[in-house]
Amino acid sequence: MQSPPDYSDIEKAVRGGEHFSYLDLHFGRMMAETAKTNRASAMLAAALVSGHQQIGHVCVDFNHLDQSPFASDLASVQTPEFEHLAEHLLTAGIGGAPGEKTPLIMDNDKRLYLYRYWEYQDKLGRSLIERAGDDPDDLDLDLFQQGLARLFPPEGPSQQIDHQKWAAYTALRKRLCVISGGPGTGKTTTVFKILALLQECSTGGPLRIVMAAPTGKAASRMAEAISESKKKFGRLCSKSITDTVPEEAATIHRVLKPIIGTPYFRHNADNPVNADVMIVDESSMIDMALMSKLVQSLRPETRLILLGDMDQLSSVEAGAVFGDICDTGRPHGVSPEFAADFFQITGDDISAYTDPESRPGIADCVVRLEKSRRFAEGGGIGELSRAVRDGLPEDALAVLKDSGRKEAVLKPPPKSPAKLFKSLLEEGYKAYFEAQSVEDRFAALDRFRVLCAVKEGPFGVHRLNQTAERMIPNSNPYRPNTRWYAGKPVMITRNDYRLRLFNGDIGVAADDGESDGEIRIFFNESEGNIRKLHPLRLPDHETVFALTVHKSQGSEFDNVLIVLPDKAGPVLSRELLYTGVTRARRRVEIIAGETVFGDAVKKRNIRYSGLRDMLWKEDNAT
């Protein structure tokens, strides 16, 4: 066995490392004190797994450790090979194989986990595999066939495949359905039709349907979209069926009912959610821990339908669960059996989409919607988003440089950022500053928003928010020289279940005539309802004239200004750019150097876990 590294060398490297945090150092020391022997290896492994989890990885993948930012911090110390490190951890009593109850878990593919995250991954993967192989037989197939034809009539040439119909078919024939699609591809429209079909074809009476999303904003948008779809397509079903499709959506936390003061939920495997169908929107925002808890809280017979965009940014916390489930970046075909069944029910031939090597399993549960109805064919935003998504920097820059396309523009980073941003913010927020009512201010916030890649620095969120606030003259009734002033927009950053405020909710400060003109924070709830709170009652929040691209997920704006830093950095990636660009409905303006922009398009945001292999490796096909 390779001799262990020197403890003092490891501690010094972690303590002085640029990327390791104090939390990593503390956890490393704790594991070293717990270890029976090999204290240096214990500290090294613990610090690495803690550090990787903090930057979004579920595990440390030793196959790619040389690409980790922590590798540079450890360049001066002796780092054991994985096999030897595993032996050290086993001897020390703090490492074990999958399924053992040890603080650290090591699998056969050179991955190292915190036990808690290995368990999240294991339970989630097993549950999804079971659902993928469980085909329900609780439908009236004649009604199903008739309903598909009625709700999804041919739109174009007969040889064109309707992927929305494909998604609906999958949702009814499988216990698990994963629908991925960019903006405007009709995910929520498809969901309304799916729910109507499920109710129409159910042989056991009306189904209990629960709709959820990771943030309050996303839940509200989902409810609004379903309501609009009911108005538009409700005529295709009987009123009794349309009325059974819900228009209420809640955050995942509200659905699972958190036990205040603990990380646990009231609903779990022993006390499952009472739902026949669970619809989850914006699934790309959901981290490993929350997705695992959500799926564990469902009854085995509950249909689970996940909606999202596999090309968007992953969750803020550890994991890229939706991307792992979709196996982003790797094309897959459905099984021949699935294609044959689809043809029998719909008459549509999808044999061109089959994979002879594929057997029924997760591949039959994933559907990608391609056709965007939001972006015009050949339009700048659509072309730009596809080029960014596919990692084609030359194509993306060509769109931005095309003078004939006014809806997608690139501007070089300014030598004087404050001066340029002042001008752009004055123009973009003109309607907001001039608004006379809270409702008008909310509408103006949906028309223009600044999105940043980073929080700090001259091109970061904090600096741009300060610039926006300094723009407001003291003579203005907004009164920017105080902490709270009329017109200040804020975003909630921590869930508060008692106040019914959730991470991502947007509020606007305004003078309240019912409180002698004192400032109150107004929140725009579903169906246009406005409620207000005293500023002192707010949970954690931040000013949001500008916000990070991460925080913008689940939102849409008419016009978007994306600000990238003047130098490449670890957060810049094609997923970040794609997410920012697709927040815009009409126009996107990007401030960035061509080199920085191009490098970001080339770079993929990789999150390490074992979930992808668990779901897609061959012996999991059923």
Side-chain angles (χ1 to χ4, degrees), residues 397-408:
L397 285 169
V399 173
L400 291 167
K401 291 179 177 181
D402 186 344
S403 59
R405 303 189 194 210
K406 304 297 185 184
E407 67 271 35

Side-chain angles (χ1 to χ4, degrees), residues 270-581:
D270 297 323
N271 179 32
V273 176
N274 181 22
D276 299 304
V277 183
M278 171 71 76
I279 310 280
V280 185
D281 199 8
E282 297 291 351
S283 296
S284 64
M285 299 173 65
I286 306 174
D287 61 85
M288 178 67 77
L290 184 57
M291 183 70 85
S292 183
K293 292 175 182 180
L294 172 65
V295 173
Q296 289 177 56
S297 77
L298 302 180
R299 302 192 304 248
E301 64 271 19
T302 299
R303 274 183 172 82
L304 174 61
I305 302 173
L306 300 176
L307 311 175
D309 187 342
M310 68 173 77
D311 300 304
Q312 276 193 187
L313 276 168
S314 303
S315 58
V316 174
E317 303 297 331
V321 180
F322 193 74
D324 286 345
I325 294 173
C326 296
D327 202 17
T328 304
R330 300 175 190 168
H332 290 278
V334 296
S335 66
E337 296 90 336
F338 182 93
D341 194 27
F342 186 76
F343 180 77
Q344 182 178 357
I345 296 292
T346 68
D348 294 341
D349 183 5
I350 60 170
S351 58
Y353 294 88
T354 59
D355 181 352
E357 300 297 321
S358 176
R359 291 175 289 163
I362 192 74
D364 290 345
C365 299
V366 179
V367 185
R368 183 167 187 165
L369 305 182
E370 294 282 358
K371 183 178 179 181
S372 176
R373 292 161 173 80
R374 181 194 298 177
F375 305 130
E377 192 68 31
I381 297 178
E383 292 290 328
L384 177 61
S385 65
R386 285 186 286 273
V388 171
R389 180 195 68 188
D390 296 338
L392 303 172
E394 294 82 5
D395 293 359
L397 285 169
V399 173
L400 291 167
K401 291 179 177 181
D402 186 344
S403 59
R405 303 189 194 210
K406 304 297 185 184
E407 67 271 35
V409 178
L410 180 70
K411 287 187 176 180
K415 293 181 180 179
S416 175
K419 185 176 180 181
L420 174 64
F421 293 143
K422 183 176 186 297
S423 172
L424 292 172
L425 291 170
E426 282 177 343
E427 180 183 353
Y429 282 120
K430 185 174 186 295
Y432 180 82
F433 293 143
E434 294 177 350
Q436 298 299 308
S437 68
V438 171
E439 291 82 358
D440 288 344
R441 287 174 187 155
F442 277 118
L445 281 179
D446 283 340
R447 289 197 290 272
F448 174 77
R449 196 62 66 87
V450 180
L451 307 181
C452 300
V454 296
K455 290 185 177 181
E456 306 297 339
F459 300 92
V461 163
H462 295 157
R463 186 71 59 84
L464 266 76
N465 278 320
Q466 291 171 1
T467 300
E469 292 188 311
R470 284 198 298 267
M471 287 166 38
I472 307 168
N474 288 334
S475 59
N476 190 291
Y478 285 87
R479 294 192 303 276
N481 55 327
T482 61
R483 181 185 176 190
W484 287 106
Y485 54 88
K488 180 173 183 173
V490 296
M491 174 183 281
I492 301 301
T493 59
R494 180 177 57 82
N495 295 333
D496 189 315
Y497 300 96
R498 294 185 179 90
L499 292 176
R500 292 181 293 115
L501 289 176
F502 302 96
N503 186 11
D505 286 354
I506 299 291
V508 170
D511 294 327
D512 181 22
E514 297 179 357
S515 304
D516 295 326
E518 292 185 1
I519 291 290
R520 294 293 182 266
I521 315 303
F522 293 78
F523 291 89
N524 194 0
E525 299 187 307
S526 58
E527 300 181 357
N529 295 324
I530 302 281
R531 69 183 178 110
K532 59 190 177 184
L533 290 169
H534 193 283
L536 295 179
R537 297 189 64 196
L538 292 188
D540 295 348
H541 56 274
E542 57 190 31
T543 306
V544 286
F545 285 109
L547 67 160
T548 61
V549 174
H550 250 120
K551 291 290 182 69
S552 74
Q553 290 186 90
S555 300
E556 295 175 2
F557 314 102
D558 288 345
N559 304 298
V560 168
L561 173 66
I562 299 176
V563 180
L564 302 186
D566 57 348
K567 296 179 182 178
V571 302
L572 295 184
S573 66
R574 74 179 62 164
E575 290 83 5
L576 180 136
L577 283 177
Y578 173 83
T579 303
V581 168

Side-chain angles (χ1 to χ4, degrees), residues 41 435 546:
S41 290

